Amino acid sequence: MRTRLSRALPAAAVVLAAFSALPVSAAGAAAAPEPVPYTAPVDHPTYIVTVSRDLDPADVAQLVGATPVHVFRSTLHGFAAPLSPGQVAALHALPGVETVEEDGTASAG
C-alpha cells in the first residue's frame, strides 16, 4: 500500500490543484463556477469504482465530474458511472480510490 500511495500522491496533488483553482473576482472572493451537467457520450463505458470506507463515493464522483448511475454504500463502497478515459486516469491518481474496473457481464461456471 505504501508504494501505491507514494506513486499516486504527486499525480493526486496535480488533480486536486486543478479542481481547487478558481478564478478570483475583483473583490478578492473566489467566483463560484457555473455547474456543468455531465452526460457521458454513448461510447464511454460504465465503470464500477470502489473507494475506501472513509470517503463518500458521491463526493469522489463529483471530484472528477462523473454522474453516478448508482452509489453503493453497503456490500460495495463506491459508484457506477460512465467515464471518459481522462476521468478514469484522474480516479486512478486519487488516494483512497481502490479499484476502477469497466462494468461487464458476469456468469457462474
Side-chain angles (χ1 to χ4, degrees):
M1 178 75 171
R2 182 180 179 134
T3 303
R4 179 176 173 237
L5 185 57
S6 64
R7 285 185 297 190
L9 284 178
V14 171
V15 171
L16 292 175
F19 285 112
S20 64
L22 296 174
V24 177
S25 69
E34 296 222 9
V36 179
Y38 176 77
T39 303
V42 176
D43 61 339
H44 286 182
T46 299
Y47 286 81
I48 304 295
V49 179
T50 58
V51 300
S52 64
R53 294 254 174 217
D54 60 330
L55 295 176
D56 182 339
D59 289 345
V60 174
Q62 185 178 19
L63 274 176
V64 297
T67 302
V69 293
H70 192 77
V71 176
F72 306 100
R73 297 188 191 277
S74 55
T75 304
L76 291 178
H77 191 73
F79 63 93
L83 301 172
S84 70
Q87 290 169 313
V88 171
L91 284 164
H92 279 294
L94 290 175
V97 173
E98 296 173 350
T99 63
V100 181
E101 297 181 20
E102 191 169 343
D103 194 7
T105 305
S107 62

